[in-house]
Amino acid sequence: MADASAPLIQLQDVSKRFASGTAALAGVSLQVSAGQFVALLGPSGCGKSTVLRLAAGLEQASTGQVDAPALRADATQPTAFVFQDPTLMPWATVFDNVWLPLRLQGVPRQQAAPAVQQVLTRVGLADFAQAWPAQLSGGMKMRVSMARALVTRPRVLLMDEPFAALDDITRQALNSDLLAWWAAEPMAALFVTHSVAEAVFLSQRVLVMAARPGRVVAELAIDEPYPRQPAFRHSPAFAQACLQLGQALAAAHAGEGAPA
Amino acid sequence: MMRSHAERALPTLVIVGLLLAWELGVRAAGIPAYTLPTPSLIAQTLWLNAASLGHSWWVTLQITLGALALACAGGVLLAGVFALSPLTERALMPVAVVLQVTPIVAVAPLILIYVDSTHAALLLCAWIVAFFPILSNTVIGLRAADPQLRELFKLYRATPWQRLALLRVPAALPYFLAGLRISGGLSLIGAVTAEMVAGAAGRETGLASRILEASFRTETPKMFAALALLVATGVIIFWITGALSRRLLGPWHASESAAPH
């Protein structure tokens, strides 16, 4: 095993050019260590999803080095990915959807049942194991999606604006729940968002990205007690961090960049 | 609740009303039975010729269901091959299209010449008509899986077999069932068309032969009786495929649940 402080996810001067010729990323470097929660913040089209997909092995870098557990042949450190849409199988019950990652590893239903039930309990859906996705609200579907991600007890959690389509109240509740799940089993988390407040609330470190080509233009550590409590949203430190990030984001959006 | 009962009864009421109008209209106008028989006379003819019509019905039904079963097997199998190998699809799809667009009435005489067994020839004709909707729908269905779900399967390192069984087949099911509902009706049409071309000769002949036979003898009520059996068969096939679709998709698919898409 690698030592705990070594980064789990590492991008070194990575660029990505799609077949269409679009330069999605240019010279992106970042590191996420075990048990670190990092947010990628940026406007739409800045390539933050591409960074996530590189770390998941769903895309290949054009140049530069990418190292992440998902790219290694041995799957001793499982990676979980949460999409913006819940991405559930509509033909399968909640139980079967959450069972999927284990099922694909060859774990039979009976043997997977305790883990599935446990993770469903953790996301507050213990009573919905036999429900169909079509019967659930948007927030509940997202909880199922989270449960499916957590069921393998991942070491790496990659999230692509998972709560962007939800209303604010549901979103804040899920933010707090996410931190509770993280506290129970700390993972290296990379969280893509375009919401400043969400990035500040959730993460220990925020990377601000700019578009065309996608690059990291600012980095801000948020040194506040972690995992955060809901009251943090009303503290001066929260407002201060939001202000700072908002300015960095505005500068990035204006195309001027910001001192890193 | 009352409203839903009334809505359910509506189609039946319309059909009963039409039959009643037909009966009364023919009687009132004094139209002779050889031109247009009344529904009651058709029912009577059906009853009197139950043995011969029943036998023919059985022959037609065998060809129809046989062709439908073969259309399912052939369509799904071929769709599976196409999904796994786009090259095969490019090579063979034009052939399938040619088979589909050729009017079956026009090819049936040739098939009857080339294939010795009339039964097999009829089956082949009905199959040609019925298999295409299942094939084309299933091909689309096997590709219809949500791209993000596909990525999820990739991330969890699913084997090709897992991808097929747990993702592509379930995603294709609604498409296949839609194809099946079309093919069910087409296999009956194909069977009857081929029988029409094959003619009235022989003992083991279907309802189309009874219709031809009755037409030669101007037994119009019997033509209508055979026609009524064909219509009933088509409707029953439509019901069964619909029920199957609801049974398999009911709990989850938008097309079969109360919630709008």
Side-chain angles (χ1 to χ4, degrees):
Chain A
M1 279 278 126
D3 83 276
S5 61
L8 268 180
I9 302 170
Q10 191 158 23
L11 272 69
Q12 200 103 54
D13 201 19
V14 164
S15 72
K16 172 72 185 175
R17 187 177 284 275
F18 288 113
S20 59
T22 314
L25 296 176
V28 171
S29 296
L30 65 87
Q31 294 184 344
V32 186
S33 303
Q36 255 191 353
F37 202 119
V38 175
L40 273 179
L41 177 69
S44 335
C46 73
K48 50 196 194 303
S49 294
T50 307
V51 170
L52 215 57
R53 296 169 57 80
L54 286 166
L58 296 172
E59 304 273 3
Q60 259 72 50
S62 303
T63 63
Q65 296 292 317
V66 181
D67 185 37
L71 309 180
R72 293 181 204 130
D74 60 333
T76 51
Q77 297 179 311
T79 295
F81 199 105
V82 181
F83 297 92
Q84 180 173 348
D85 302 314
T87 315
L88 304 178
M89 301 181 290
W91 55 82
T93 59
V94 166
F95 181 97
D96 285 0
N97 266 290
V98 176
W99 173 32
L100 181 75
L102 296 175
R103 193 180 190 181
L104 293 176
Q105 291 168 13
V107 183
R109 175 185 288 270
Q110 289 298 321
Q111 212 177 311
V116 172
Q117 274 305 336
Q118 192 197 351
V119 78
L120 279 176
T121 307
R122 219 203 274 179
V123 300
L125 290 175
D127 297 336
F128 290 88
Q130 294 314 315
W132 298 92
Q135 299 168 320
L136 304 180
S137 69
M140 288 162 93
K141 282 184 205 166
M142 211 58 227
R143 285 173 184 276
V144 178
S145 192
M146 290 298 307
R148 179 180 61 193
L150 297 172
V151 77
T152 56
R153 326 193 91 180
R155 295 290 313 281
V156 175
L157 182 58
L158 306 171
M159 288 166 282
D160 192 359
E161 305 194 36
F163 310 137
L166 302 176
D167 63 88
D168 239 24
I169 295 168
T170 312
R171 185 180 193 158
Q172 292 193 3
L174 277 166
N175 279 346
S176 295
D177 290 346
L178 174 60
L179 291 187
W181 302 327
W182 182 91
E185 259 167 85
M187 303 157 262
L190 195 52
F191 188 100
V192 163
T193 180
H194 58 240
S195 155
V196 170
E198 193 171 52
V200 170
F201 183 76
L202 285 177
S203 56
Q204 300 157 345
R205 191 151 52 91
V206 183
L207 303 175
V208 180
M209 290 187 69
R212 278 174 291 277
R215 61 206 188 277
V216 177
V217 291
E219 181 168 350
L220 183 73
I222 300 169
D223 295 317
E224 294 297 321
Y226 200 86
R228 311 266 154 66
Q229 300 306 314
F232 175 58
R233 284 204 177 85
H234 311 293
S235 68
F238 181 82
Q240 177 62 31
C242 284
L243 183 67
Q244 245 179 305
L245 271 180
Q247 283 167 346
L249 195 59
H253 204 54
E256 297 159 9
Chain B
M1 223 46 210
M2 285 305 288
R3 197 176 150 199
S4 102
H5 275 306
E7 273 173 15
R8 257 164 219 245
L10 196 61
T12 319
L13 286 176
V14 168
I15 288 173
V16 169
L18 284 174
L19 287 174
L20 211 64
W22 179 354
E23 179 85 34
L24 296 177
V26 169
R27 279 170 191 251
I31 300 170
Y34 58 79
T35 306
L36 183 63
T38 57
S40 60
L41 181 62
I42 295 167
Q44 202 185 343
T45 312
L46 199 57
W47 178 252
L48 290 175
N49 295 285
S52 100
L53 286 176
H55 184 76
S56 299
W57 175 74
W58 179 236
V59 172
T60 301
L61 190 68
Q62 274 179 307
I63 291 169
T64 303
L65 296 184
L68 186 59
L70 289 176
C72 285
V76 168
L77 218 68
L78 212 53
V81 172
F82 285 5
L84 293 177
S85 156
L87 192 70
T88 320
E89 179 180 6
R90 222 173 312 154
L92 290 185
M93 202 55 161
V95 181
V97 172
V98 165
L99 279 178
Q100 165 69 11
V101 298
T102 315
I104 194 64
V105 206
V107 231
L110 286 173
I111 292 174
L112 283 157
I113 291 171
Y114 297 141
V115 181
D116 277 339
S117 150
T118 308
H119 188 81
L122 296 180
L123 209 54
L124 184 61
C125 289
W127 178 80
I128 289 173
V129 179
F131 96 102
F132 193 78
I134 292 185
L135 171 69
S136 63
N137 271 29
T138 311
V139 165
I140 295 169
L142 285 171
R143 301 222 170 100
D146 179 349
Q148 292 190 344
L149 268 177
R150 260 185 267 169
E151 292 191 328
L152 197 74
F153 273 65
K154 188 179 167 193
L155 191 77
Y156 288 119
R157 301 176 189 198
T159 62
W161 171 248
Q162 286 175 327
R163 215 172 307 203
L164 184 71
L166 299 179
L167 180 62
R168 300 184 84 171
V169 167
L173 190 63
Y175 293 83
F176 163 75
L177 287 167
L180 182 67
R181 290 182 86 159
I182 301 169
S183 291
L186 284 181
S187 59
L188 181 65
I189 293 173
V192 172
T193 309
E195 281 177 4
M196 284 280 175
V197 176
R203 279 167 291 120
E204 291 294 308
T205 49
L207 281 173
S209 306
R210 297 289 81 73
I211 291 178
L212 286 175
E213 207 175 69
S215 117
F216 296 149
R217 299 177 191 159
T218 335
E219 289 175 333
T220 316
K222 200 172 169 189
M223 291 174 72
F224 270 98
L227 193 60
L229 275 180
L230 285 176
V231 169
T233 309
V235 169
I236 289 168
I237 290 174
F238 185 78
W239 270 348
I240 291 174
T241 50
L244 188 72
S245 175
R246 273 189 298 280
R247 175 97 184 74
L248 291 177
L249 304 182
W252 64 271
H253 199 255
S255 74
E256 301 293 359
S257 64
H261 196 62

